[in-house]
C-alpha cells in the first residue's frame, strides 16, 4: 500500500494504475475509519477496482462553531485498517497542500442544499462539493463510493458530477449499523454511554415511519409527529429536524405519494447525529 501526501504523487500513482489497465475506485474519507468506510472499500474491491482512499479532515466544510479541531483523528490506525483491507493507495494531504493561499473558488449546488442540513450548517455543502471536486481532479477515478447515511451529501455530489459532466460514476452504498440500529459514524465516539443508548431513538423513529407508510399512512404531519414522540422520549438536547422530502430534489412534501427520504438530525449533548431511510410507498390497493 502506497501512502502519499502530495497531489503530484497521488496523480502519478493513479496514472500508473490506469496505464496498467486498472479500473480505479476511490473512497474519499475524513479518517477515523469504521466499518461503514470499510464497506465502501469492500464495494470497490467487489467491483474489481484498484483502490484509492483519501484521508483529509476538510476545514472548508466545518462552520466556525463546529468540531473541526476536535474531530477524531488516528492516522496510524486508519492506515493499518486500510492495509488490512487491501487498499492500493492512500492520499493524506495537509490543508496547505489542498488549499493554496488565496484559494477563492467554491462549488455551490443549489436546491438540493436548501433543506435538511443545509440551513443548519451554512456553507457545509459548498465545502463538501468543493473538496470532492478537487479530490476527483487529483484522483481521476472511474468510480467513487459514498455512504447513504449522508444522503444529502450523496445527492449533492451526484448532482454536481452530473451537472459538471465530471467523468466519474458516483456509487451509493448502504448505511452500516451497530447491532442496535445506530448508524456508524466517526462522531459516535463523542457520545457518553447514556447518550449512546438514547441515540438508538433515531433509527427506531425512522423504522416506525417506514412501518406506518407501509401500513398505508400518507400524511407527512402524522408520520413526523409519531417520529417526534419516539425521539423526544429519548430526551435529546435538540432536534434540528425531522423531515420528509422527495428523494430526488430533497424538497419537503406534504403527502407521501412517491419515493421519499425521511431524515433526522438530533443532538445529544454536543454531538449532532444524522440518519435517514428511503421509503417507496406501496402502490394503492396493495
Ligand atoms: O463524508 C465525508 O467523510 C466527507 O464529507 C467527504 C465526502 C470525505 C468530504 O470531505
Amino acid at each position: 500500500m502506497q501512502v502519499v501526501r502530495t497531489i503530484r504523487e497521488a496523480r502519478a500513482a493513479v496514472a500508473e494504475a490506469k496505464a496498467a489497465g486498472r479500473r480505479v475506485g476511490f473512497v474519499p474519507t475524513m479518517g477515523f475509519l469504521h466499518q461503514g468506510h470499510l464497506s465502501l472499500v469492500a464495494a470497490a474491491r467487489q467491483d474489481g477496482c484498484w483502490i484509492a482512499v483519501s484521508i483529509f479532515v476538510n476545514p472548508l466544510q466545518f462552520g466556525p462553531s463546529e468540531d473541526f479541531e476536535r474531530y477524531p483523528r488516528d492516522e496510524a490506525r486508519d492506515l493499518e485498517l486500510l492495509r488490512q483491507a487491501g487498499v492500493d493507495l492512500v492520499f493524506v494531504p495537509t490543508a496547505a497542500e489542498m488549499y493554496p493561499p488565496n484559494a477563492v473558488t467554491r462549488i455551490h449546488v443549489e436546491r438540493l442544499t436548501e433543506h435538511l442540513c443545509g440551513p443548519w450548517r451554512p456553507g457545509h455543502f459548498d465545502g463538501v462539493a468543493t473538496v470532492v471536486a478537487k479530490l476527483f481532479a487529483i484522483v481521476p477515478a472511474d468510480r467513487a463510493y459514498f455512504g447513504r447515511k449522508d444522503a444529502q451529501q450523496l445527492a449533492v455530489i451526484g448532482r454536481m458530477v452530473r451537472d459538471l459532466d465530471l467523468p466519474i460514476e458516483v456509487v451509493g452504498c448502504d448505511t452500516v449499523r451497530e447491532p442496535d440500529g445506530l448508524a456508524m459514524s466517526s462522531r459516535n465516539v463523542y457520545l457518553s454511554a447514556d447518550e449512546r443508548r438514547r441515540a438508538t431513538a433515531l433509527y427506531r423513529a425512522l423504522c416506525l415511519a417506514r412501518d406506518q407508510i407501509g401500513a398505508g399512512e400518507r400524511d407527512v404531519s402524522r408520520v413526523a409527529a409519531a417520529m417526534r414522540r419516539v425521539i423526544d422520549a429519548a430526551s435529546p438536547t435538540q432536534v434540528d429536524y425531522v423531515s420528509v422530502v422527495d428523494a430526488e430534489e430533497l424538497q419537503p412534501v406534504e403527502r407521501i405519494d412517491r419515493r421519499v427520504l425521511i431524515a433526522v438530525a438530533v443532538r445529544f449533548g454536543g454531538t449532532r447525529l444524522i440518519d435517514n431511510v428511503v421509503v417507496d410507498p406501496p402502490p394503492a390497493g396493495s
Side-chain angles (χ1 to χ4, degrees), residues 95-171:
E97 180 71 7
M98 286 298 281
Y99 297 114
N102 305 332
V104 287
T105 304
R106 297 283 183 275
I107 295 187
H108 176 67
V109 176
E110 290 183 352
R111 195 164 165 84
L112 301 186
T113 55
E114 282 170 1
H115 301 285
L116 306 175
C117 289
W120 291 95
R121 303 191 68 188
H124 168 70
F125 290 112
D126 293 3
V128 169
T130 303
V131 80
V132 170
K134 280 178 70 78
L135 288 168
F136 286 176
I138 296 164
V139 180
D142 298 288
R143 292 182 179 174
Y145 297 80
F146 297 90
R148 293 202 172 97
K149 196 205 86 166
D150 297 308
Q152 191 172 17
Q153 167 173 283
L154 177 61
V156 164
I157 293 168
R159 191 63 61 91
M160 171 185 79
V161 162
R162 195 204 68 176
D163 291 354
L164 299 181
D165 296 307
L166 301 182
I168 191 163
E169 184 188 342
V170 174
V171 181

Side-chain angles (χ1 to χ4, degrees), residues 2 9 40 50-51 110 125 140 173 185 197 210 221 224 240 258:
Q2 212 181 331
E9 291 169 302
L40 305 179
W50 182 91
I51 305 169
E110 290 183 352
F125 290 112
C173 298
S185 162
R197 190 180 47 74
R210 194 172 48 196
S221 57
D240 285 2
R258 72 202 96 152

Side-chain angles (χ1 to χ4, degrees), residues 188-260:
N188 290 351
V189 73
Y190 298 149
L191 297 167
S192 70
D194 182 50
E195 289 165 349
R196 165 71 187 76
R197 190 180 47 74
R198 283 150 51 209
T200 58
L202 273 72
Y203 189 53
R204 281 188 281 115
L206 291 165
C207 291
L208 175 68
R210 194 172 48 196
D211 291 348
Q212 288 191 338
I213 296 165
E217 182 61 81
R218 296 288 176 271
D219 184 294
V220 165
S221 57
R222 282 203 291 265
V223 171
M227 292 176 70
R228 223 14 236 254
R229 281 193 290 276
V230 173
I231 291 171
D232 287 345
S235 307
T237 311
Q238 184 176 312
V239 179
D240 285 2
Y241 61 78
V242 170
S243 295
V244 182
V245 297
D246 78 271
E248 287 300 312
E249 298 296 323
L250 309 188
Q251 299 299 302
V253 295
E254 284 173 15
R255 290 206 48 87
I256 299 160
D257 51 12
R258 72 202 96 152
R259 174 175 288 196
V260 289

